[in-house]
Amino acid sequence: MAGALPRSPLAPERLPDLAPIAGVRLAAAACGLKKTGAPDVLFVALDPGTSAAGVYTRSRCPSAPVDWCRRALPQGKARAVVVNAGNANAFTGQAGVKTVAATVVAAAKQVGCDWEEVFIASTGVIGQPLPEDRVARHLPDLAQALGEAPTSNDWAAAAEAIRTTDTFAKGATRHAVIGGTTVTLTGIAKGSGMIAPDMATMLSFVFTDAAIPAPLLQTALAAAVDQSFNAITVDGDTSTSDTLMLFATGRAGNPVPAGAADLADFQRALDELTADLARQVACDGEGAQKLITIAVKGAISDRSARRIGLSIANSPLLKTAVAGEDANWGRIVMAVGKSGEPADRDKLGIAIGGVQVARDGMVVDGYDEAPVAAHMKTRSIEIEVDIGIGRGHATVWTCDLTHGYISINADYRS
């Protein structure tokens, strides 16, 4: 991570105003993991009674923090979260396990809770040992710096602290109603490269003041992730450290839901929030100049549609064609065919930028490439694919593949 990267041209003008969440306190500081000297540790304290849900990478080479979170999550309770950037604490053997343990013990001491109520996440370079007390020794000072319910500036500092190659901080806020009570959700995320999530995102933490039992919270999170973070890709590589957690403090005072039907509006808000964060990650793909939205319909199932969409989104040929502003729709056909999903060549239809390019397995009569070529010069590329054999549909997001991706990753450890 040689230095500050140019801000993505797809970045929002600024981080949106993020709403405070009662029962959440946070502080960020530098402990020397980022060579720039920027803040690289986030400490979050949560009120007693906070419920927790989480999803994590399916990588067979998970980090030590992911292993710890999986062990702690069945308790369904949370009192503290510690996140560091600059070192993934992955592929670090028993040294990594000891570092997690030291951090957990130190955090639990600061908030006065059981070890299993502390969650840890790390992001950065893989295979580089993280000294056992590197993060733990900073937690007393961070505990002293904890404020009340975080302001928008506090959220911004937290989002900055968890960044690695991200060029902008990512956050979102939504509101919902449960049993007549308005509840708030606020989340932050980081991610730019090594992005092809499988059950989670790179790192993302969502907080709500709603009162929701852990089992219902877990169900809601799994449903939201499936249509958001699991529907983005930058480079097809799944991280060892992917972690997404949702915490509910209960401070809003809503009636405790009896079942999923009571959470319909909360699910809507959570779906919107995670999709917002996921798109922000796709917009910050390393070296990205264009956001690509791929809508697939007519597949045999929604899952099949998403697999087809990701096959297109992960194609280097498609992504470089978009980078070069080349309306080469044959690469879309190729990616549909290689997906391994059911498809009928002679029923396939393709549109780019709202312009029908192909129908019934061939180019449309009188196809004029000029409006499509003009669309390819924009920042936001829209691709629609109709498989023509069913009712399954899905939308996925990715970005173009430019020389910037090579430059960033060639210099990542310098």
Side-chain angles (χ1 to χ4, degrees), residues 204-411:
S204 184
F205 306 94
V206 180
F207 305 87
T208 179
D209 54 8
I212 303 175
L216 289 179
L217 203 65
Q218 186 68 40
T219 298
L221 182 62
V225 167
D226 201 44
Q227 303 302 318
S228 56
F229 287 117
N230 276 356
I232 62 170
T233 181
V234 168
D235 47 23
D237 287 334
T238 296
S239 171
T240 60
S241 306
D242 287 350
T243 296
L244 168 60
M245 296 203 69
L246 171 59
F247 304 97
T249 67
R251 291 287 298 277
N254 61 279
V256 176
D262 302 294
L263 291 177
D265 198 47
F266 179 84
Q267 186 72 63
R268 171 203 56 79
L270 182 61
D271 290 349
E272 290 181 4
L273 184 144
T274 54
D276 189 344
L277 291 174
R279 283 193 297 269
Q280 290 183 52
V281 170
C283 284
D284 204 15
E286 290 171 339
Q289 299 292 305
K290 298 176 186 289
L291 175 68
I292 308 170
T293 301
I294 302 165
V296 179
K297 66 179 182 178
I300 61 165
S301 67
D302 291 351
R303 184 166 295 277
S304 179
R306 188 173 68 186
R307 287 175 175 166
I308 292 170
L310 288 173
S311 179
I312 299 168
N314 278 320
S315 166
L317 287 175
L318 182 280
K319 290 158 71 71
T320 50
V322 172
E325 301 178 345
D326 178 13
N328 188 347
W329 56 271
R331 294 182 176 183
I332 301 172
V333 175
M334 173 278 299
V336 172
K338 75 164 186 173
S339 70
E341 292 298 311
D344 186 329
R345 178 197 62 201
D346 296 331
K347 294 181 179 179
L348 186 65
I350 296 170
I352 301 176
V355 177
Q356 195 71 33
V357 172
R359 184 184 294 114
D360 297 330
M362 61 184 297
V363 66
V364 298
D365 289 340
Y367 169 57
D368 179 6
E369 191 170 288
V372 178
H375 178 71
M376 297 300 292
K377 295 184 181 298
T378 66
R379 292 289 188 191
S380 183
I381 307 302
E382 305 282 340
I383 296 173
E384 299 174 17
V385 178
D386 186 353
I387 306 302
I389 60 173
R391 301 179 66 181
H393 61 90
T395 300
V396 303
W397 298 273
T398 188
C399 58
D400 57 344
L401 181 59
T402 72
H403 195 279
Y405 181 87
I406 300 171
S407 298
I408 291 166
N409 283 285
D411 294 339

